[in-house]
Amino acid sequence: MVITSTAVKKGGLSAGDVAAQYKYRNTLIDVKVDTESNISTTLTSTEIVPSTKTIVSFKLPDYNSGKLEVQYFHQHATFTTAVALNQSQSQSQSQSQSPAVDLSATIGTPAISFGAEAGYETSSRTFTKYTAGVNVMKPDSCASIILGDKGDTIRASYVHHLGQLKKSAAVGEITRRFSTNENTFTVGGSCALDNLTVVKAKLNNHGKLGALLQHELIPKSVLTISSEFDTKALDKTPRFGLAIALKP
């Protein structure tokens, strides 16, 4: 069993959750309870059909939040189909009886891969999203280009590992949103201080600075401390996060 606790504080507001994970044979059960009394449950089962994974998720007290997902794995390809069993209660009755369908596929090799994703709303007969991307892997680096938000944004990123042990890495990312002519540049990096501690940080051209520290308290149990603040608005209260994952 794995137990995880997360807490986030922004200004005078605090939010948190407690999650537990239990594995029984080929089934993985995840349960999470948050501070708003929502209970999220996910059941993941493998090998119901060879080379597949079946995921069922729902959230209480929202009884109309069920979702069924089936993943198929091949040596050089992955296909996923997800169906939202019912829409939100806040939507119209006609929509609540029409499921939403998500489809995704990834094809490639360890050196290069191509992926695409699409979402279809059966009630309105329209696509809610479509995304496509390509990823190139090398022993010491990784580069990707993703076209998302129905073609409204394009994101290019590059990760370079420093040293053969890959304990440190430098990251660069450029995002372009065509509808607003907005560009976002982000640089970051990670560094393993030792075998138990990792530090990560990132900064974009809008002044958003984020940092994270992960430390393995005991084998398989990790403490994570994170923070984010706006360097162009220092009068605003920064965000802080704390998470503990315990695994026997």
Side-chain angles (χ1 to χ4, degrees), residues 55-70:
I55 303 173
V56 178
S57 60
F58 54 92
K59 187 176 182 179
L60 300 176
D62 184 4
Y63 298 97
N64 293 322
S65 61
K67 185 176 182 180
L68 173 64
E69 180 176 335
V70 178

Side-chain angles (χ1 to χ4, degrees), residues 63-79:
Y63 298 97
N64 293 322
S65 61
K67 185 176 182 180
L68 173 64
E69 180 176 335
V70 178
Q71 301 175 353
Y72 173 76
F73 302 95
H74 186 269
Q75 184 178 2
H76 296 295
T78 301
F79 302 95

Side-chain angles (χ1 to χ4, degrees), residues 142-194:
C142 173
S144 65
I145 299 177
I146 299 175
L147 181 67
D149 295 330
K150 297 183 179 181
D152 187 41
T153 62
I154 185 170
R155 181 170 70 249
S157 60
Y158 178 77
V159 180
H160 187 83
H161 298 283
L162 308 176
Q164 296 181 351
L165 298 179
K166 297 183 178 180
K167 289 187 175 182
S168 301
V171 182
E173 181 180 273
I174 301 175
T175 302
R176 168 75 173 178
R177 184 174 293 275
F178 299 106
S179 60
T180 60
N181 291 324
E182 182 183 9
N183 296 317
T184 301
F185 304 92
T186 304
V187 294
S190 66
C191 179
L193 303 181
D194 52 43

Side-chain angles (χ1 to χ4, degrees), residues 182-186 203-209 230-233:
E182 182 183 9
N183 296 317
T184 301
F185 304 92
T186 304
L203 174 67
N204 65 24
N205 61 308
H206 301 299
K208 295 293 181 65
L209 175 64
D230 191 344
T231 59
K232 295 183 178 181

Side-chain angles (χ1 to χ4, degrees), residues 7-38:
V8 177
K9 184 174 183 180
K10 182 180 180 180
L13 300 177
S14 297
D17 60 65
V18 177
Q21 184 182 86
Y22 178 75
K23 185 175 183 180
Y24 178 74
R25 295 182 180 178
N26 292 330
T27 302
L28 194 64
I29 304 173
D30 292 273
V31 179
K32 181 170 69 174
V33 181
D34 61 27
T35 51
E36 296 182 352
S37 300
N38 294 312

Side-chain angles (χ1 to χ4, degrees), residues 70-230:
V70 178
Q71 301 175 353
Y72 173 76
F73 302 95
H74 186 269
Q75 184 178 2
H76 296 295
T78 301
F79 302 95
T80 301
T81 301
V83 179
L85 304 182
N86 283 292
Q87 298 301 308
S88 174
Q89 291 179 339
S90 63
Q91 296 179 346
S92 67
Q93 184 65 23
S94 60
Q95 288 180 321
S96 66
Q97 297 175 353
S98 302
V101 181
D102 291 337
L103 300 173
S104 65
T106 303
I107 302 174
T109 67
I112 185 171
S113 59
F114 302 88
E117 179 187 28
Y120 184 75
E121 181 64 63
T122 57
S123 61
S124 59
R125 298 181 181 180
T126 58
F127 285 96
T128 58
K129 62 180 178 180
Y130 40 84
T131 304
V134 58
N135 184 72
V136 178
M137 292 282 294
K138 290 187 176 181
D140 60 350
S141 62
C142 173
S144 65
I145 299 177
I146 299 175
L147 181 67
D149 295 330
K150 297 183 179 181
D152 187 41
T153 62
I154 185 170
R155 181 170 70 249
S157 60
Y158 178 77
V159 180
H160 187 83
H161 298 283
L162 308 176
Q164 296 181 351
L165 298 179
K166 297 183 178 180
K167 289 187 175 182
S168 301
V171 182
E173 181 180 273
I174 301 175
T175 302
R176 168 75 173 178
R177 184 174 293 275
F178 299 106
S179 60
T180 60
N181 291 324
E182 182 183 9
N183 296 317
T184 301
F185 304 92
T186 304
V187 294
S190 66
C191 179
L193 303 181
D194 52 43
N195 294 331
L196 303 176
T197 307
V198 177
V199 176
K200 300 179 182 181
K202 65 178 181 178
L203 174 67
N204 65 24
N205 61 308
H206 301 299
K208 295 293 181 65
L209 175 64
L212 178 147
L213 183 145
Q214 287 183 326
H215 180 72
E216 189 173 5
L217 302 173
I218 57 177
K220 299 181 181 180
S221 297
V222 179
L223 168 67
T224 302
I225 302 174
S226 60
S227 179
E228 180 183 277
F229 66 95
D230 191 344

